[in-house]
Amino acid sequence: MRNISFSDATLEAMQEEMRRDERVFIMGEDIASQGGIFGQFKGLPKEFGLERVRDTPISETAIVGAGIGASLAGAVPVIDMHFADFIGVAMDEVLNQMAKIRYMFGGQATLPLVLRAPDGVTRSAAAQHSQSLEAWFLHIPGLKVVIPSNPADAKGLLKAAIRDPNPVIYFEHKDLFRQKGPVPDGDYLTPIGKAAVVRQGDDVTIVSYSAMLGKVQKAAEILAEQHQINAEVIDLRTIVPMDLETVYTSVKKTKRLVIAHEAVKIGGVGGEIAAAVSENILEYLDGPIVRVGAAFTPVPFSPPLENRVIPQVEDVVNAVLTARW
Amino acid sequence: MLLIRRFEEKVNEKFLAGDIPGFVHLYIGEEATAVGVCSALTRADYITSTHRGHGHTIAKGADVKRCMAELYGRKTGYCKGKGGSMHIADFGVGMLGANGVVGGGINLAAGAALAVQLRKAKEVAVCFFGDGASNRGTFHEGLNMAAVWKLPVVFVCENNQWASTTPLHEATAVTDISQRATSYAIPGVMVDGNDVFAVYEAAQQAVERARQGEGPTLLECKTYRIKGHFVGDPEQYRTREEVMAQMEERDPIKKLLERILADELLTEEQLREIERKVEQDVAEAVRFAEESPFPDPEEAFEDLYVEGEADHA
């Protein structure tokens, strides 16, 4: 175990996978010359050359489209989207091509491909550089979507995504890149589709993921100290396929459910989980399911405005108190 | 060419009879482009296609029986009934799929070429698209990136004069799509897309250039869409006379036959033999399709992911 940053953990994943499999290559804007905006690609060209670590024109449509074509012809592309917001520019490639190529061709195609998408709110990046869009892709069959909350999972999920024969969108929260945490030595994978119970508790289940999980853990401490409420915290880790079994098991035990994410609450992943729980195990619930998410506004620029619209620790605390009415 | 023509005439008939579901976009009148270009390719080379993709698929060497079965939505079709006419594909011959989105295949071909370049192989990728697609961003981004990286790809614009129901001059600032190659510093070549020999020669040069690592070519094949945008299109945007005149003067199959007889490439008897064989293949394809079972409804849940299903419902 070493204590390394989220950014370095993803860099290790890239190094290990590119050494292991020469079909793996990476392309995106400013990744070779600059090392990526968050340093997540630093040094890769030196070891693997500018063919396999390539700077692209600012042409998201071509980048994603070519990634898909390369994948169909036997390569394993990792595509950096610079900012998750820019997936919108290449949305046809994601929803009409990447997600459907295997299915609509009757399984003739195999599409190993990772789309890395830095998302989330950090340092006043404002409305077009701050979005969390994971719910969009929950709604499109054919993709997998992973979203790590810590350096160990960042590495393990990226490696698993690269080895997965399906297209995987890998959301990495911009505010997590510098965060450090323990990362196991050597080769390991974090399985796609398995949630983790990161805190045991009996009084309420809180489901979260990505950077929001840190706030949830702080909220869980406050709840334990100030309200004698012992929360069980689940890190979803994967949005598609979603590990609802782990959620159901926990809710059956705690009888209460709060879901917290940084993405806009309306139409978010939380709504899907709430619906699934009420459809399938409603009889176990002793209180209302409560969702915590961003306000229904674009993310504003000025720090006090930004803090106001994205969910905070106290919002999670209040949600739990509401769920315990 | 004749196989594509007869296949499509039969598809037209069977669609109007209600035997083929969905939408069908016919390639009639454009056969020389697919055949001319694919004749310059090997089985290992890649192509990507448009929503008008039967011709490309057959020209690349796919089996007409499985093509027809796919159009009929049968289990024995290339896509097991999940794709249909707009998504016909045969990965076995490097045909990476027809595309329901105009211009959707352009960068897929560039990407296939990128994979070839990365593994230092010699295959070439060819992208077929129409004049309408050349107005999309995907075209401009793809040509630029392929040019910068010298990818082994040939961009084949089938300028059939119609973007759905809109004539070329109303939607496109240039009259020749090949002019656009200038913006990307690659060769722009224009040929009569209804002359299979001319198409073949130009395609061969472009393919050779790509194989030698010299980068992409934009090859414009001037042709004409004889049928409506889709089968059943009332075609209020053009006159019957215009279409008849094009067919009279430029039918690629008629042109080919004239050349064959003039140059004595084949005898009339040999031509009749080809005609018989084609009729037989198409009839067999229809029989195969009609006798093939529909997929079991449960098969709708297969082929989404390589292993396991993401089902959280």
Side-chain angles (χ1 to χ4, degrees):
Chain A
M1 279 290 189
R2 296 135 314 133
N3 223 41
I4 62 172
S5 73
F6 188 101
S7 172
D8 286 344
T10 64
L11 186 58
E12 280 190 6
M14 286 308 307
Q15 285 164 336
E16 291 175 17
E17 291 309 300
M18 290 181 82
R19 282 173 201 149
R20 191 186 61 81
D21 184 348
E22 62 176 20
R23 299 172 309 157
V24 179
F25 76 100
I26 175 146
M27 62 175 167
E29 297 156 12
D30 307 320
I31 61 171
S33 52
Q34 196 197 37
I37 317 170
F38 308 99
Q40 72 272 46
F41 304 108
K42 248 186 192 130
L44 285 179
K46 201 169 169 194
E47 181 174 355
F48 302 106
L50 290 171
E51 280 271 291
R52 286 178 73 195
V53 184
R54 43 175 82 204
D55 278 336
T56 63
I58 300 178
S59 304
E60 285 79 8
T61 298
I63 298 166
V64 181
I68 297 165
S71 172
L72 293 177
V76 180
V78 178
I79 300 165
D80 181 58
M81 274 281 94
H82 223 60
F83 285 87
D85 313 70
F86 306 158
I87 297 178
V89 181
M91 201 58 175
D92 170 63
E93 279 62 32
V94 177
L95 78 91
N96 284 320
Q97 317 293 340
M98 193 192 291
K100 297 188 171 61
I101 276 182
R102 181 174 177 78
Y103 186 82
M104 73 186 180
F105 298 140
Q108 291 183 73
T110 303
L111 195 63
L113 183 156
V114 182
L115 192 69
R116 291 183 64 168
D119 70 342
V121 172
T122 188
R123 294 191 287 177
S124 290
Q128 296 172 337
H129 288 73
S130 297
Q131 294 166 91
S132 293
L133 301 171
E134 64 276 6
W136 286 6
F137 306 101
L138 174 63
H139 198 67
I140 302 171
L143 304 167
K144 291 187 179 183
V145 181
V146 300
I147 190 158
S149 70
N150 60 70
D153 284 350
K155 180 174 177 183
L157 278 174
L158 183 52
K159 285 166 69 80
I162 292 170
R163 292 191 204 181
D164 198 294
N166 298 287
V168 181
I169 301 182
Y170 178 92
F171 283 109
E172 40 198 338
H173 197 289
K174 298 189 287 289
D175 214 25
L176 290 177
F177 276 114
R178 282 164 299 151
Q179 221 170 86
K180 288 191 172 183
V183 171
D185 299 311
D187 187 35
Y188 70 95
L189 302 176
T190 303
I192 292 175
K194 287 266 175 279
V197 179
V198 296
R199 189 184 196 281
Q200 303 278 342
D202 300 311
D203 299 326
V204 61
T205 298
I206 314 178
V207 177
S208 189
Y209 52 85
S210 190
M212 193 68 205
L213 195 87
K215 289 180 182 171
V216 165
Q217 283 172 308
K218 282 189 193 116
E221 283 164 27
I222 292 168
L223 287 162
E225 284 163 18
Q226 298 178 10
H227 303 277
Q228 288 73 52
I229 294 172
N230 200 5
E232 179 143 302
V233 177
I234 293 174
D235 181 357
L236 213 48
R237 299 200 292 200
T238 301
I239 304 293
V240 184
M242 195 184 283
D243 180 7
L244 285 169
E245 282 312 313
T246 296
V247 175
Y248 294 159
T249 304
S250 177
V251 170
K252 284 177 187 174
K253 179 172 72 170
T254 66
K255 315 276 195 284
R256 289 175 172 85
L257 175 62
V258 169
I259 310 129
H261 52 61
E262 192 183 285
V264 169
K265 179 170 125 178
I266 293 176
V269 169
E272 182 60 33
I273 298 173
V277 166
S278 57
E279 272 175 3
N280 293 297
I281 57 164
L282 183 68
E283 66 276 21
Y284 289 91
L285 287 171
D286 283 347
I289 302 171
V290 184
R291 292 175 295 158
V292 177
F296 195 63
T297 69
V299 176
F301 166 69
S302 178
L305 302 179
E306 187 186 76
N307 284 331
R308 174 66 185 84
V309 305
I310 63 165
Q312 304 298 340
V313 174
E314 55 268 31
D315 296 318
V316 180
V317 171
N318 290 335
V320 168
L321 296 176
T322 308
R324 298 242 337 145
W325 76 179
Chain B
M1 281 170 68
L2 197 61
L3 182 61
I4 297 169
R5 176 70 59 91
R6 295 288 176 263
F7 178 90
E8 293 230 310
E9 285 168 350
K10 189 56 81 178
V11 168
N12 187 55
E13 178 193 322
K14 293 292 182 183
F15 181 84
L16 292 172
D19 295 339
I20 293 176
F23 303 101
V24 165
H25 304 82
L26 295 177
Y27 193 64
I28 289 176
E30 305 180 35
E31 298 91 343
T33 298
V35 172
V37 171
C38 289
S39 300
L41 302 176
T42 71
R43 193 183 166 93
D45 293 321
Y46 299 102
I47 65 166
T48 65
S49 173
T50 68
H51 57 283
R52 204 175 297 288
H54 311 155
H56 309 128
T57 312
I58 295 170
K60 191 68 173 67
D63 174 8
V64 285
K65 290 205 297 288
R66 296 193 61 199
C67 289
M68 192 65 88
E70 185 57 37
L71 267 56
Y72 270 76
R74 304 301 163 108
K75 192 184 170 78
T76 53
Y78 272 115
C79 310
K80 304 182 204 163
K82 294 198 177 82
S85 168
M86 266 194 288
H87 307 300
I88 191 89
D90 178 6
F91 280 62
V93 297
M95 195 311 196
L96 303 181
N99 211 302
V101 177
V102 170
I106 294 176
N107 284 296
L108 304 188
L114 172 59
V116 169
Q117 188 186 66
L118 282 167
R119 62 170 184 258
K120 312 216 181 315
K122 280 289 175 197
E123 292 95 56
V124 165
V126 168
C127 174
F128 292 99
F129 57 95
D131 44 292
S134 79
N135 289 330
R136 285 207 54 221
T138 182
F139 167 86
H140 297 281
E141 291 192 11
L143 262 67
N144 179 64
M145 198 163 86
V148 170
W149 291 349
K150 288 200 180 324
L151 297 179
V153 55
V154 181
F155 297 104
V156 179
C157 178
E158 301 178 321
N159 185 348
N160 70 12
Q161 310 293 318
W162 296 98
S164 189
T165 64
T166 306
L168 182 76
H169 65 87
E170 278 183 24
T172 305
V174 292
T175 45
D176 302 325
I177 307 302
S178 50
Q179 285 176 259
R180 291 182 163 167
T182 314
S183 304
Y184 306 105
I186 61 171
V189 180
M190 189 168 72
V191 292
D192 178 355
N194 286 16
D195 177 347
V196 69
F197 296 100
V199 174
Y200 171 70
E201 276 163 36
Q204 220 182 15
Q205 281 182 24
V207 166
E208 195 48 32
R209 185 182 138 80
R211 274 201 222 289
Q212 296 308 319
E214 291 166 43
T217 300
L218 173 58
L219 174 60
E220 178 183 12
C221 299
K222 289 260 206 241
T223 181
Y224 189 84
R225 196 189 74 208
I226 295 296
K227 294 288 182 179
H229 174 56
F230 56 92
V231 179
D233 179 357
E235 295 184 67
Q236 282 159 347
Y237 46 85
R238 62 182 185 181
T239 63
R240 205 58 224 148
E241 290 70 37
E242 178 187 329
V243 179
M244 295 308 283
Q246 283 283 341
M247 201 59 179
E248 189 57 39
E249 287 164 32
R250 298 190 63 217
D251 178 0
I253 292 180
K254 210 162 105 186
K255 281 174 78 137
L256 173 62
L257 287 175
E258 284 164 9
R259 170 88 180 265
I260 286 172
L261 293 173
D263 292 1
E264 297 180 359
L265 301 172
L266 294 170
T267 64
E268 295 209 20
E269 179 49 39
Q270 284 171 314
L271 285 173
R272 272 195 297 275
E273 184 51 37
I274 291 171
E275 177 91 34
R276 270 197 297 274
K277 174 84 173 70
V278 163
E279 303 275 359
Q280 200 182 332
D281 287 352
V282 171
E284 212 172 293
V286 170
R287 194 163 46 242
F288 176 77
E290 289 178 347
E291 286 171 3
S292 291
F294 280 106
D296 185 287
E298 290 307 304
E299 288 173 38
F301 303 105
E302 293 171 4
D303 299 320
L304 185 55
Y305 295 95
V306 173
E307 53 190 273
E309 308 292 327
D311 181 14
H312 67 278

